[in-house]
Amino acid sequence: MTANGHGGPNAQYPSSADAGSTITQQGFKITTRKLPILKAAPIEQMTLELGITPPEMIFGDNSISIEHIVSGWSISFNTFGALDKVDKTGSSMLQVAHSKEWQSTRQEKHKGITEVVKPFDWSYTTDYKGTLSSGGQTFTPTSLPIPLELLKRPDPILFFDEVMLYEDEMADNGVTMLSCKVRVMPARLLLLCRFFMRLDNVLFRLRDTRLYVDFSTCQVIREYVAKEESYEAIRFKLAESREDALAQMRDPHRLSDLLPVKHAQHAFLRPFSLSPRILAVAQASETPPVPKKARHISPTIPSKTSAYTPQGTRHKTSQPSTTRKLAQELRKRAPEATETYVAYGVSEALVKECAKQADYSIPQAKEKGVEIPKTKDGEDLGVGTGWWYEEMGLTPTFNTWAQITLLHMYLLTVRIRSFPAAHAPTWNQHMINHFSYLAEERMVTVHNIQARMVRNKYLKDLFVQWRGLTAGYDEGLVKGDAVLAAAVWRNVCKADEDVDLRKLGMVVAYMRSVLGALDTMEDSAIATGNVLFGSPGSEAALVKQRSKIMDLEFSPENQAPIAP
């Protein structure tokens, strides 16, 4: 683009100072740029390149871009790309009385342009879906929709911006505009590129391109929806609603619910899979060959393996191959980007292992017309096997499953805290996310909870419980087994006064044993995901042993010290 009044005619514009606002989140770089309306020289240049007269207000240097750092894949939404998608043949031109008037005003305004402007769609309607980086993979049609339930979660918004690309008042006969806005959350982002046109007494038109990116899975979904309705039909609908019709006609968000869908399509890609070699390289920097046999967590097997080398640890290997050299270079240049993909896959396996410990089913849920039994507290009562149900005597319900799953996740979290400081938060966040996915899936498939608001409420409650039990278990680890047992009793046993204290002691001993076994393992071994949990029943012999303190005469001197 030529200079926009900044420096001489040969000056580079936008300059580095106009680079815009940028945020990088889990390997994705999001950049927005907002600059003034183009001046005469760049407008003339754009007119020559496009072959059509540009809109009245054109923000030619504005844009929003999303880049996947590791793969190099990117997509941008810019003014030139959008206008280049406007019909230039005139076949889509709105045939109304005002069109000739509009054309005459345009020719007068740009009479200095010597090129003949060909007929074109003077409403500047565009089906622009973004500009992909050259050489990158294109989108593939899919029926997969954008997961609206995830976007409705009350996640904090890390970054938000809105960018105007162009606008025109259509010779005072309405308005046509194209804008983009993006919001970035911790685990995902959503971009909306919206074309809106109101031609007074004639037509309303909306073209929405939404781009959804899941940072953890690198899943990218693009949705394009075209909506259109006559001016009279919309005015009639607004009159029925008793709303301020004139104000609502200027609100694209409000009109979106009133306009019928004329065309819709979904497309999908996963940027990190654009180059299988890149994926292999990233994993090679993290995960050399994994042992075939998984590690069973037990204090009696204190072996150390080294199948993974996170950044910050030393690991001696044989002469590195070309792939490993490339992997190490990639790891050096983009450590955060490569770490999140390895952490995502491994943490998913770890959480699923945690969830197996108290699995259950509800046979009646698969039968039509059969009532699901309830507990005295109104929870769906299921059927479960294993130590937690058969020996501990816990009730197979969703809450029991969640608490035992969270207990095992806590044990892994304690060990993960000793990972390099730059990596531990990523692992912890992925584990919480995967638990949320599993919990919500169980609500739908096992308990038939279809209402999204109800599921979100349960998920919020579980997150609050996670924070509470983490504090309780941490306190127990520091202050002693009695405090830890009390925390288990409150969370897992629901403060049941009839709990078997010996079984409660087995759980406490089991937690200590697992933590001890995890402590003997290298970071590399934990990060392979090959972890299998045992059973608290293995601690029965230890719990039955009589404590030597019980044989001592009661006195303050003989009491075990209490940690502060």
Side-chain angles (χ1 to χ4, degrees), residues 139-395:
F139 284 85
T140 302
T142 182
S143 59
L144 187 68
I146 290 177
L148 297 178
E149 65 279 3
L150 296 180
L151 294 170
K152 291 180 179 180
R153 292 179 178 178
D155 297 330
I157 297 178
L158 306 179
F159 179 82
F160 174 83
D161 207 350
E162 185 169 7
V163 173
M164 178 63 69
L165 298 182
Y166 63 77
E167 183 175 356
D168 194 287
E169 294 183 353
M170 307 175 75
D172 296 327
N173 292 303
V175 65
T176 180
M177 64 175 68
L178 180 69
S179 62
C180 288
K181 55 185 176 181
V182 62
R183 61 183 171 108
V184 181
M185 288 76 71
R188 56 193 61 87
L189 74 78
L190 180 68
L191 180 146
L192 169 63
C193 182
R194 168 166 285 174
F195 169 83
F196 170 68
M197 186 204 73
R198 185 193 77 244
L199 184 57
D200 295 338
N201 301 314
V202 179
L203 189 69
F204 284 95
R205 181 176 285 169
L206 205 65
R207 302 287 187 266
D208 284 347
T209 296
R210 289 178 172 85
L211 193 76
Y212 169 83
V213 179
D214 189 299
F215 298 137
S216 299
T217 62
C218 289
Q219 183 184 66
V220 180
I221 301 175
R222 186 177 67 186
E223 175 189 83
Y224 173 76
V225 179
K227 298 181 179 182
E228 195 169 299
E229 185 60 285
S230 68
Y231 190 93
E232 281 301 316
I234 294 299
R235 184 163 61 180
F236 181 76
K237 291 180 181 179
L238 291 175
E240 285 185 327
S241 66
R242 298 182 180 181
E243 299 181 39
D244 184 349
L246 293 179
Q248 298 301 319
M249 285 180 179
R250 294 190 293 267
D251 184 1
H253 179 72
R254 174 68 178 93
L255 294 172
S256 178
D257 297 330
L258 301 178
L259 298 175
V261 176
K262 299 297 183 180
H263 174 67
Q265 62 179 205
H266 295 81
F268 165 87
L269 64 78
R270 181 172 296 173
F272 206 63
S273 67
L274 299 182
S275 172
R277 180 173 178 78
I278 290 179
L279 177 59
V281 165
Q283 291 180 333
S285 69
E286 307 283 354
T287 316
V290 176
K292 293 183 179 180
K293 186 175 182 180
R295 171 68 189 273
H296 190 95
I297 293 296
S298 169
T300 59
I301 311 178
S303 63
K304 293 187 179 182
T305 61
S306 185
Y308 169 86
T309 307
Q311 187 179 12
T313 62
R314 296 183 178 180
H315 176 60
K316 294 182 179 180
T317 62
S318 58
Q319 185 66 24
S321 63
T322 302
T323 301
R324 184 170 295 282
K325 289 180 180 179
L326 184 59
Q328 292 171 350
E329 183 64 21
L330 178 62
R331 181 65 171 153
K332 184 190 303 181
R333 292 178 179 272
E336 294 182 2
T338 55
E339 179 70 20
T340 188
Y341 299 108
V342 176
Y344 177 85
V346 175
S347 61
E348 181 181 19
L350 292 174
V351 171
K352 287 183 177 180
E353 174 62 21
C354 294
K356 290 179 182 178
Q357 306 311 307
D359 199 8
Y360 69 99
S361 63
I362 301 180
Q364 296 85 351
K366 300 179 181 179
E367 303 176 17
K368 293 184 179 180
V370 178
E371 184 177 356
I372 297 176
K374 305 286 186 180
T375 66
K376 62 180 181 180
D377 297 323
E379 295 182 85
D380 290 347
L381 181 61
V383 177
T385 60
W387 186 89
W388 295 95
Y389 298 130
E390 297 173 344
E391 300 295 330
M392 185 72 174
L394 298 178
T395 306

Side-chain angles (χ1 to χ4, degrees), residues 1-2 38-55 58-61 78-81 83-84 88 113 165-166:
M1 190 67 62
T2 57
L38 289 185
K39 294 189 177 181
I43 288 179
E44 291 186 13
Q45 181 65 30
M46 179 175 284
T47 302
L48 293 173
E49 294 179 6
L50 288 173
I52 62 174
T53 304
I58 179 168
F59 301 84
D61 296 313
N78 58 78
T79 307
F80 186 90
L83 288 174
D84 199 36
K88 303 173 185 177
I113 300 175
L165 298 182
Y166 63 77

Side-chain angles (χ1 to χ4, degrees), residues 16-34:
S16 58
D18 302 312
S21 302
T22 299
I23 181 175
T24 301
Q25 183 70 5
Q26 297 194 39
F28 283 86
K29 181 181 179 182
I30 301 94
T31 303
T32 63
R33 187 170 62 198
K34 293 192 290 187

Side-chain angles (χ1 to χ4, degrees), residues 83-104:
L83 288 174
D84 199 36
K85 298 288 289 184
V86 173
D87 175 43
K88 303 173 185 177
T89 65
S91 60
S92 300
M93 184 185 299
L94 292 171
Q95 300 299 323
V96 297
H98 302 290
S99 62
K100 292 182 179 179
E101 176 187 350
W102 181 91
Q103 289 282 6
S104 64

